[in-house]
Amino acid sequence: MRIRRSHIFLCSFAALGLVGIACGGDGSTAATGGGLTGTGGAGSGTGAGTPTGSGVGAGTPTSSGVGAGTPTSSGVGAGTPTSSGVGAGEPTGSGVGGGSSNPDGKPTPDTDGSPKGKFRVNLSNGRITVDGTDTQIRGGNWFGLEGQDDTARPGAMELFIGSMFWADNSAKRTIEDTLKEIKSSGLKFNTVRLPIAPQTLVQGHPDGDYSIEDPRIRNNDPDKYPYANAYEAFTDFLKLADKNGVYVVLGMHSCSNHIGWRKGKLNDGPPWVDSDRENYEYKKDDYTCVDGEDAYNKDKWLADIRTMAQLPKKLNIKNVLGIDCFNEPWKYSWSEWADLAKECYDVIKSENDDIIAVVEGVSSSHQKPGASGLELDPEPFGTEGINPNWGENFYGQAAYPIQIPRDRLCFSPHTYGPAVFVQKHHVDQSKPECVGLEDDAAAEAKCQLVVNRNNAEAVATMEKGWDEHFGYLRAQNFCVLIGEFGGVKDWPKNELEPAAAQRWAHLPANARHDWEWQNIFVNYLKKRKMTDFLYWSINPESGDTGGLYGHKYTDANKDGWGTWTGLDTEKVQMLSGLQ
């Protein structure tokens, strides 16, 4: 999950013409430790919120005639919405080009004859089974080990656990404290999605070497976080989760701990979506996954997937439910990504009989063939103007069915509301001056928002988009595990980004549009019986979403960075009803 907004780390891309490009889930706030010791930043976290993505005007047809459901020049994602299935908008496939693993458009197979495993998908209802028993997956994301945006220690890999060394002793926590609490509280969580980077898997990597003091890599109290390096923290987390009966979805979150949320493909490189931001200190144009120390490619990725799949046997644990192959692959077309995801599954299958392949969606654009950086073409996603977030778009599955067997596959969309990115369909388009505007442009025009549970038309529009992007898959009895959603419930009031309240000061006081969005989405999930979820995030350091735990940090009290308070009772109540 990339972070779009935070106290210092702002990620609005309207000026770039990249409407709604993501930024949550990986880039979080970047407080500097309140000047307590001068030994490095207090961490920056990993935000949430994959904004919406399209380098071509957020789904607007281009001169090539690409529109809602129309095949692109690569032949990917053909299929026009019909009124069948889960509401108007289930795609139907009529074209299959662009990929190599399924040139004939064969349906996704039910099974491939894999031996019996601990985790599977019930083919009759799409539910995950544990030792043959249907099980609701209830959980959240817990980030930090995938690397953090921090000027003093770029890419530092350290899990946020609410135990900063400068914190009040009574407030410090351990990993196990939180595992026990999220399981026993009203959340009744049984799963954690743990984002990592390739470097997390390297024992003793300098960006995760906690003996380094200048710049300081470990900000957690060593008594509460007793690890020599990030790899030790990672593997002990898995063992502690197993001990406490918590399943884990491992997520390869980026091509590099230095680049984080910005990447859209395995071997991605600059310019990044935030390259042209003014007054912004977290630019990453000196880092690339094309070559150099952060070079990444398919072979390295598959080797990392293999390492992840081998961990249960190596650590003698049985709680790794799935491997999320790659976070928000927004620069691939669906057919390109479906082919790569099949290779991810093939490696998982060769190493582990238990683990499920977790596959995210694409976006509303993809990188042009042979191009680099931000040279993008549109990717079909359904109705024009109801744009998907990065990782949300599975529209192309109807035309180009993935070849991972259904009993070992979970589709995992990411979706967010206005706290991460204000989309066109969140904006009151009845005002002439607001037509076609979104996010900061809509704020500057003093547009009102329509995100409200009592606005039937707005709710129907959002539900139509979700149906087209991924909801139709649940009606076909695929496993759909919501991989990320969340938000700052009092947005635009946000202590990690005070400027948001100023930009949107014209909105009615206490409107709570993102909280409305979250509840609209939860109601949709219940209506569609699509109740497997991983909320973003458990820890509160995400600048554009906050977390399930409160945070002592405020704009006036920066020394509170990294110190958690109690669980948010409103969020707990909302998620407790997601059954």
Side-chain angles (χ1 to χ4, degrees):
M1 232 205 136
R2 313 76 338 288
I3 167 175
R4 185 185 80 82
R5 303 185 181 282
S6 69
H7 173 62
I8 297 174
F9 176 65
L10 302 181
C11 209
S12 171
F13 301 106
L16 302 176
L18 298 171
V19 185
I21 293 256
C23 216
D26 277 18
S28 92
T29 233
T32 57
L36 290 166
T37 65
T39 56
S44 68
T46 295
T50 37
T52 67
S54 170
V56 293
T60 304
T62 67
S63 58
S64 63
V66 179
T70 306
T72 67
S73 58
S74 65
V76 181
T80 54
T82 71
S83 59
S84 63
V86 289
E90 178 178 349
T92 60
S94 61
V96 296
S100 60
S101 71
N102 191 16
D104 300 322
K106 296 178 294 185
T108 297
D110 287 345
T111 186
D112 62 359
S114 294
K116 184 178 179 180
K118 183 177 183 68
F119 304 107
R120 284 294 184 270
V121 175
N122 186 333
L123 295 176
S124 68
N125 59 16
R127 301 311 300 263
I128 290 174
T129 65
V130 181
D131 295 323
T133 301
D134 285 7
T135 303
Q136 184 194 11
I137 300 305
R138 303 180 53 83
N141 292 265
W142 195 345
F143 65 80
L145 285 174
E146 76 291 353
Q148 302 164 19
D149 277 337
D150 190 303
T151 54
R153 45 173 207 163
M157 298 178 291
E158 179 181 23
L159 191 67
F160 289 101
I161 67 168
S163 183
M164 296 304 186
F165 67 85
W166 58 78
D168 185 355
N169 285 336
S170 64
K172 292 179 181 177
R173 308 174 62 89
T174 66
I175 291 172
E176 193 163 23
D177 288 339
T178 299
L179 288 171
K180 290 179 181 296
E181 187 168 22
I182 61 175
K183 185 177 179 183
S184 63
S185 69
L187 290 168
K188 297 293 187 291
F189 277 6
N190 57 15
T191 305
V192 169
R193 177 173 177 254
L194 189 67
I196 64 171
Q199 291 82 356
T200 318
L201 297 171
V202 179
Q203 190 162 5
H205 191 283
D207 292 335
D209 182 349
Y210 299 145
S211 68
I212 295 176
E213 292 289 328
D214 187 17
R216 189 184 187 101
I217 298 297
R218 175 169 51 192
N219 279 328
N220 283 314
D221 187 320
D223 290 337
K224 302 294 184 178
Y225 192 77
Y227 308 113
N229 54 62
Y231 181 81
E232 283 190 11
F234 166 57
T235 53
D236 195 52
F237 183 98
L238 297 180
K239 289 185 282 189
L240 287 170
D242 187 57
K243 172 186 171 183
N244 286 278
V246 175
Y247 309 129
V248 176
V249 173
L250 294 175
M252 182 52 70
H253 216 62
S254 187
C255 59
S256 165
N257 64 316
H258 294 126
I259 292 165
W261 57 269
R262 297 162 182 82
K263 57 86 206 98
K265 57 188 294 188
L266 298 173
N267 60 336
D268 210 353
W272 306 110
V273 293
D274 55 351
S275 293
D276 293 335
R277 282 202 58 78
E278 297 179 358
N279 302 316
Y280 174 61
E281 57 184 319
Y282 298 100
K283 295 181 180 180
K284 298 294 183 178
D285 288 272
D286 291 337
Y287 296 101
T288 178
C289 286
V290 176
D291 51 30
E293 66 170 314
D294 293 304
Y296 207 57
N297 55 39
K298 185 173 74 171
D299 289 343
K300 290 184 177 181
W301 171 60
L302 292 176
D304 286 339
I305 298 298
R306 188 176 303 279
T307 297
M308 294 159 74
Q310 291 171 342
L311 283 169
K313 182 176 181 179
K314 180 178 180 179
L315 301 177
N316 192 29
I317 56 177
K318 296 284 287 184
N319 63 326
V320 179
L321 183 157
I323 292 176
D324 191 336
C325 294
F326 197 64
N327 188 67
E328 297 173 359
W330 65 273
K331 288 188 179 178
Y332 291 117
S333 68
W334 171 254
S335 61
E336 291 172 328
W337 175 234
D339 286 357
L340 286 167
K342 173 61 163 60
E343 294 192 60
C344 173
Y345 166 72
D346 288 343
V347 171
I348 294 170
K349 176 187 174 184
S350 71
E351 296 292 342
N352 192 296
D353 292 333
D354 294 325
I355 294 174
I356 290 171
V358 178
V359 177
E360 298 180 31
V362 293
S363 185
S364 58
S365 60
H366 60 259
Q367 197 171 72
K368 294 181 178 180
S372 62
L374 302 176
E375 300 176 71
L376 305 174
D377 275 336
E379 174 74 14
F381 58 83
T383 301
E384 179 186 341
I386 312 178
N387 305 317
N389 291 270
W390 286 1
E392 181 181 333
N393 183 14
F394 293 88
Y395 192 85
Q397 162 70 11
Y400 193 87
I402 200 168
Q403 292 302 290
I404 300 172
R406 286 202 302 127
D407 66 349
R408 296 192 68 177
L409 166 68
C410 272
F411 290 124
S412 190
H414 294 185
T415 189
Y416 288 95
V420 171
F421 193 86
V422 179
Q423 302 196 50
K424 290 178 185 177
H425 60 277
H426 298 157
V427 176
D428 183 355
Q429 299 284 322
S430 67
K431 306 294 184 182
E433 65 273 20
C434 295
V435 173
L437 299 185
E438 55 192 353
D439 210 58
D440 285 354
E444 291 171 8
K446 299 191 183 312
C447 300
Q448 295 295 319
L449 303 187
V450 295
V451 184
N452 189 292
R453 279 172 277 186
N454 296 323
N455 188 325
E457 182 179 359
V459 170
T461 297
M462 286 184 274
E463 291 186 346
K464 180 180 182 181
W466 293 323
D467 279 345
E468 292 178 343
H469 302 156
F470 58 85
Y472 77 96
L473 297 166
R474 184 68 186 85
Q476 296 175 0
N477 289 327
F478 281 97
C479 172
V480 178
L481 169 62
I482 307 302
E484 293 184 16
F485 79 101
V488 174
K489 63 184 185 181
D490 291 324
W491 179 91
K493 181 181 178 182
N494 181 357
E495 290 290 352
L496 293 177
E497 198 221 338
Q502 298 173 9
R503 284 194 302 273
W504 292 96
H506 59 279
L507 293 178
N510 302 317
R512 307 184 87 194
H513 286 296
D514 198 85
W515 186 236
E516 289 295 301
W517 182 93
Q518 291 185 58
N519 280 275
I520 291 167
F521 185 59
V522 166
N523 289 340
Y524 167 80
L525 295 178
K526 290 189 286 189
K527 186 188 302 185
R528 295 288 185 258
K529 302 186 185 307
M530 192 160 39
T531 57
D532 295 320
F533 70 92
L534 298 166
Y535 189 82
W536 189 281
S537 58
I538 292 170
N539 55 300
E541 288 83 4
S542 173
D544 48 3
T545 68
L548 291 172
Y549 283 91
H551 203 199
K552 282 194 174 181
Y553 176 92
T554 67
D555 190 44
N557 178 30
K558 294 180 175 61
D559 290 358
W561 174 256
T563 301
W564 300 5
T565 58
L567 285 166
D568 186 308
T569 55
E570 283 190 296
K571 288 186 175 182
V572 170
Q573 183 178 12
M574 176 186 71
L575 295 176
S576 68
L578 187 46
Q579 301 282 350

